[in-house]
Amino acid sequence: MSQSLVDVDADDPAEAAPGPTRPTDGTGTGPGPGRRIDVRRLLRFLLRRPGLLLSVVVLVLVVLASFQPGLFTSQDPLKGVPTQNFHGPSGAHWFGTDELGRDVFSRVVHGAQLSLKATLIAVAVAFVVGGLLGVVAGFVGRWVDDVLMRCVDVLLSIPALFLSLALVTALGYGTVKVAVAVGIASVASFARVARAEVLRVRQALFVEASRSCGARWYSVLGRHVLPNAAGPVVVLATLDFGASILAVSALSFLGYGAPPPAPEWGTLISDGRNYLANAWWLTALPGLAIAATVLATNRIARALDGEWSRQR
């Protein structure tokens, strides 16, 4: 039996020794022991990779900050105290204060909501539109594939940031419009990956067997092709999450995001660049938050892409 079905720990003689068959729930697997083995494998996988575990913690904290910023700070991100302007990082203000005396840590925490909202919209647009184009091109084929892929090639020939700038200039300013522009700029990569996976799965023996048995095309697509082709596209969405954070922050830095005083991450860096000589924390610490989030998502995507599948 393959290693992906049975996980035997060579250091545990109780598992290595043959024994009576465990009772099953009618599906051929024991519900309780099977789940315990999966949890143990997952725990071993995480504990052997402290960098991955730290990435998961960082991403969980960022998500919590975007949904419940009150868990991390009780200060108003828009209220400033002019007598406390340009205070360095301290116990009272972890990330210091800006030129208006506003707490930078509070602005970073509340800015996570705006930045992650835009990032989620961008990834969703790229995933849905690009995945749909790739599935249609790979499953239908013929001239439909040629037309759609030539359109994708045109999108790939334009740098993503330039395309985002052109789209957001046409759509207008604002967080949602920036997110849509970033998502459309990422459609081509999702379409390419989805098409390649659909072509691979479409030629599999079980798909041919399903067709030979008289299954409808929508049944083959929904039951066999989509579930088996979705994995790499989901991994790409995780990778694109970090790239979208950078793209959204870059457009916000250029002034295309939410208008001030909204504390978007890119806007925070843009506002603090004029005070680098005497207040380095205004740009360094929000930039560190962006870098930590991007590195964490990339590390998790790399684990999902290859490391976890090799452990199964």
Side-chain angles (χ1 to χ4, degrees), residues 6-307:
V6 177
D7 183 23
V8 177
D9 192 347
D11 296 333
D12 192 349
E15 292 186 6
T21 304
R22 293 186 179 97
T24 65
D25 58 354
T27 61
T29 58
R35 291 195 186 99
R36 284 200 301 270
I37 292 175
D38 290 340
V39 170
R40 287 172 54 188
R41 182 189 299 136
L42 178 60
L43 290 177
R44 288 200 302 267
F45 180 79
L46 291 175
L47 292 177
R48 291 173 181 172
R49 294 165 177 83
L52 177 60
L53 186 60
L54 179 61
S55 300
V56 173
V57 172
V58 169
L59 192 59
V60 168
L61 291 177
V62 172
V63 172
L64 285 176
S66 62
F67 286 99
Q68 293 291 336
L71 295 175
F72 300 90
T73 179
S74 59
Q75 301 192 44
D76 188 350
L78 305 179
K79 182 180 179 180
V81 181
T83 57
Q84 297 182 3
N85 61 336
F86 293 124
H87 283 195
S90 62
H93 304 284
W94 291 0
F95 284 9
T97 59
D98 61 6
E99 70 277 8
L100 299 179
R102 296 172 297 191
D103 184 68
V104 177
F105 178 75
S106 175
R107 290 177 63 77
V108 170
V109 170
H110 285 81
Q113 184 176 14
L114 293 173
S115 297
L116 287 191
K117 172 187 173 182
T119 302
L120 289 175
I121 294 175
V123 174
V125 169
F127 183 86
V128 173
V129 178
L132 183 60
L133 291 177
V135 169
V136 172
F139 193 76
V140 176
R142 298 187 295 276
W143 65 268
V144 176
D145 185 15
D146 294 336
V147 171
L148 291 179
M149 287 301 103
R150 296 300 75 76
C151 296
V152 169
D153 290 340
V154 172
L155 291 177
L156 286 174
S157 65
I158 306 174
L161 184 58
F162 290 166
L163 182 58
S164 300
L165 282 172
L167 291 173
V168 78
T169 303
L171 295 174
Y173 297 0
T175 302
V176 176
K177 295 176 181 178
V178 164
V180 172
V182 172
I184 293 176
S186 303
V187 162
S189 57
F190 280 86
R192 279 291 186 183
V193 173
R195 174 182 177 270
E197 289 301 310
V198 169
L199 288 176
R200 179 185 63 82
V201 176
R202 193 183 66 175
Q203 299 173 359
L205 292 178
F206 61 89
V207 174
E208 296 295 335
S210 179
R211 286 177 172 173
S212 64
C213 292
R216 302 283 186 177
W217 66 268
Y218 51 82
S219 177
V220 174
L221 180 64
R223 291 186 177 183
H224 303 293
V225 176
L226 290 181
N228 289 282
V233 184
V234 173
V235 173
L236 178 61
T238 309
L239 278 172
D240 190 67
F241 190 86
S244 297
I245 291 176
L246 290 177
V248 168
S249 299
L251 293 178
S252 299
F253 177 86
L254 295 175
Y256 292 100
E264 278 190 333
W265 284 350
T267 305
L268 293 179
I269 298 177
S270 177
D271 293 341
R273 62 180 172 170
N274 297 323
Y275 308 100
L276 284 173
N278 61 331
W280 57 268
W281 57 87
L282 296 182
T283 53
L285 297 182
L288 182 62
I290 296 175
T293 306
V294 172
L295 291 175
T297 55
N298 289 345
R299 181 64 184 90
I300 294 172
R302 190 177 67 183
L304 292 176
D305 187 21
E307 298 178 13

